[in-house]
């Protein structure tokens, strides 16, 4: 080996060691998002574009998804090593597939609060949860907000729920047309979709679950049990590199959107920048996240969520909170100190 190659190898090993992944240089990781390449995808595309995964000794491939349920299933099948998915969807998979040999596990909390919300137009007269009694709600059958609605319903003493199902692209359209009175969806997605259909933000009523007594966690990074068992150092290296990139994204959302545009050249850059900023403010750097610490979970809150999801989703077995969460591979506290200063 000549001197130049030796210097390059030494530099690569030192970079990998900085992320805790020196023993697993260029470990391949297939990663699936929960949805399309939209604003929040920058959280993962930024560390990839800046070379942080590579410096950690990882060869990470990031693909778009079509819903959290699909992401959980694909990681369980071995098609993907890691992914980004709603914690409730992960819990549901565990409880409905107790004999599945490869149940994915959450290894880092990203959306400390669920983005799920009920949205209505002001002209409907709906201003608070009690006004939903007797009204017609709409959402796709797999929508996280719809599946968790019984928890919202119970917390706010709502007695009736009349549902209309549709494909995702029709949800906001049917609300604007008046075919339904309210919808469930991710707050930062449905609001922007309504604006794209000509509705002014001030004409929309948003009831985030987290503001109305429903403290469910949202999206987490998940990993296959095979990867956790065979290469926990690579999982930790991924999470450390991710946190480094996510800190930059939260500090400057507008700049990081370029990483999303690089993957999908037809995105609406201003809209996706807003979507990302809304996600950061509402569910990533939320008061609950600041209290618990980025990436972490509160055991009591996790147990309560497991019980609530078991009931609301009517799962085959009860959810064991200890089986869905493994925080042993989280980076050091200093590496998780990434939330931007609280807005005054």
């Amino acid at each position: 080996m000549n001197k130049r190659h030796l210097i390059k190898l030494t530099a690569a090993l030192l970079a990998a060691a900085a992320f805790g992944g020196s023993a697993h240089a260029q470990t391949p990781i297939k990663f699936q998002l929960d949805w399309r390449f939209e604003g929040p995808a920058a959280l993962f595309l930024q560390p990839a574009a800046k070379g942080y995964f590579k410096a950690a000794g990882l060869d990470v491939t990031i693909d778009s998804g079509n819903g959290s349920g699909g992401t959980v299933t694909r990681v369980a099948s071995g098609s993907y090593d890691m992914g980004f998915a709603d914690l409730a969807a992960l819990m549901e998979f565990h409880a409905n597939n107790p004999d599945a040999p490869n149940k994915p596990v959450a290894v880092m909390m990203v959306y400390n609060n669920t983005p799920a919300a009920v949205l209505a137009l002001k002209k409907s007269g709906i201003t608070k949860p009690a006004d939903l009694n007797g009204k017609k709600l709409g959402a796709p059958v797999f929508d996280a907000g719809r599946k968790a609605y019984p928890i919202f319903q119970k917390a706010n003493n709502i007695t009736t729920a009349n549902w209309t199902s549709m494909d995702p692209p029709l949800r906001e359209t049917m609300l604007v047309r008046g075919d339904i009175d309210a919808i469930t969806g991710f707050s930062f997605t449905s609001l922007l979709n309504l604006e794209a259909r000509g509705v002014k933000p001030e004409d929309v009523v948003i009831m985030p679950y987290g503001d109305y007594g429903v403290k469910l966690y949202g999206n987490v990074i998940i990993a296959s049990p095979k990867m956790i068992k065979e290469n926990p150092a690579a999982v930790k290296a991924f999470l450390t590199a991710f946190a480094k990139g996510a800190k930059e994204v939260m500090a400057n959302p507008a700049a990081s959107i370029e990483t999303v545009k690089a993957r999908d050249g037809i995105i609406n850059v201003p809209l996706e920048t807003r979507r990302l900023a809304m996600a950061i403010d509402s569910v990533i750097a939320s008061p609950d996240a600041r209290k618990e610490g980025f990436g972490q979970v509160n055991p009591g809150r996790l147990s309560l969520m497991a019980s609530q999801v078991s009931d609301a989703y009517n799962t085959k077995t009860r959810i064991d909170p200890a089986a869905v969460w493994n925080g042993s591979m989280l980076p050091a506290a200093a590496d998780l100190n990434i939330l931007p200063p609280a807005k005054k």
Side-chain angles (χ1 to χ4, degrees):
M1 181 179 295
N2 62 38
K3 186 176 180 180
R4 186 176 64 179
H5 287 164
L6 182 60
I7 291 173
K8 285 185 176 180
L9 177 60
T10 301
L13 290 173
L14 287 173
F19 287 96
S22 59
H24 304 280
Q26 295 309 301
T27 299
I29 294 179
K30 289 191 65 180
F31 187 92
Q32 182 163 70
L33 297 171
D34 62 327
W35 198 239
R36 297 185 289 261
F37 290 118
E38 296 181 339
L43 294 165
F44 298 93
L45 298 175
Q46 175 83 358
K50 292 298 257 333
Y52 299 151
F53 290 133
K54 186 176 182 180
L58 307 175
D59 179 15
V60 178
T61 303
I62 301 172
D63 293 333
S64 61
N66 60 357
S68 289
T71 299
V72 172
T73 300
R74 291 182 188 105
V75 174
S77 72
S79 299
Y80 286 84
D81 304 297
M82 300 179 70
F84 189 51
D86 180 46
L87 180 57
L90 177 67
M91 288 180 166
E92 182 183 27
F93 181 88
H94 272 249
N96 284 341
N97 300 276
D99 299 323
N102 300 300
K103 293 188 280 289
V105 178
V107 292
M108 176 182 272
M109 180 58 60
V110 180
Y111 290 175
N112 188 280
N113 299 93
T114 176
V118 175
L119 296 93
L121 302 183
K122 284 186 178 178
K123 65 181 182 181
S124 69
I126 297 172
T127 61
K128 57 187 182 300
D131 297 332
L132 295 169
N133 276 311
K135 296 295 193 294
K136 186 184 294 184
L137 289 90
V141 293
F142 58 82
D143 175 68
R146 176 173 177 172
K147 296 182 81 167
Y149 186 79
I151 305 171
F152 180 87
Q153 188 173 344
K154 182 178 180 180
N156 293 283
N157 298 312
I158 302 169
T159 56
T160 58
N162 304 308
W163 287 97
T164 296
S165 302
M166 75 287 292
D167 290 332
L170 292 176
R171 171 173 26 200
E172 290 79 16
T173 298
M174 291 182 69
L175 180 63
V176 172
R177 286 196 318 221
D179 298 332
I180 48 182
D181 302 306
I183 59 174
T184 57
F186 278 13
S187 57
F188 50 76
T189 294
S190 287
L191 176 61
L192 295 179
N193 289 346
L194 286 169
E195 286 187 41
R197 288 158 178 78
V199 180
K200 297 179 180 179
E202 58 268 27
D203 293 331
V204 182
V205 175
I206 306 176
M207 291 176 268
Y209 281 19
D211 291 350
Y212 288 89
V214 182
K215 290 295 186 180
L216 298 178
Y217 286 113
N219 282 32
V220 292
I221 296 176
I222 64 175
S224 71
K226 181 177 185 293
M227 184 150 199
I228 291 173
K229 180 180 179 180
E230 297 179 0
N231 207 342
V235 176
K236 183 173 182 177
F238 180 98
L239 299 180
T240 305
F242 165 78
K244 180 179 175 67
K247 182 176 183 177
E248 295 177 356
V249 171
M250 288 188 277
N252 194 344
S256 65
I257 284 296
E258 290 303 314
T259 65
V260 184
K261 187 173 177 58
R263 291 299 303 266
D264 185 350
I266 65 171
I267 66 164
N268 181 320
V269 171
L271 183 142
E272 296 307 331
T273 303
R274 284 185 60 205
R275 193 192 310 274
L276 174 58
M278 290 169 69
I280 293 169
D281 291 342
S282 62
V283 299
I284 302 175
S286 66
D288 288 323
R290 296 182 187 280
K291 181 170 63 177
E292 296 178 8
F294 179 80
Q296 314 276 356
V297 298
N298 176 282
R301 186 177 161 195
L302 182 68
S303 294
L304 175 60
M305 177 176 174
S307 178
Q308 291 175 320
V309 171
S310 295
D311 293 337
Y313 287 46
N314 192 27
T315 56
K316 292 179 181 177
T317 62
R318 302 297 293 180
I319 297 161
D320 177 8
V324 301
W325 172 257
N326 183 342
S328 67
M329 291 156 287
L330 284 171
D335 294 322
L336 290 175
N337 184 22
I338 68 172
L339 297 179
K343 294 182 178 180
K344 296 180 181 181

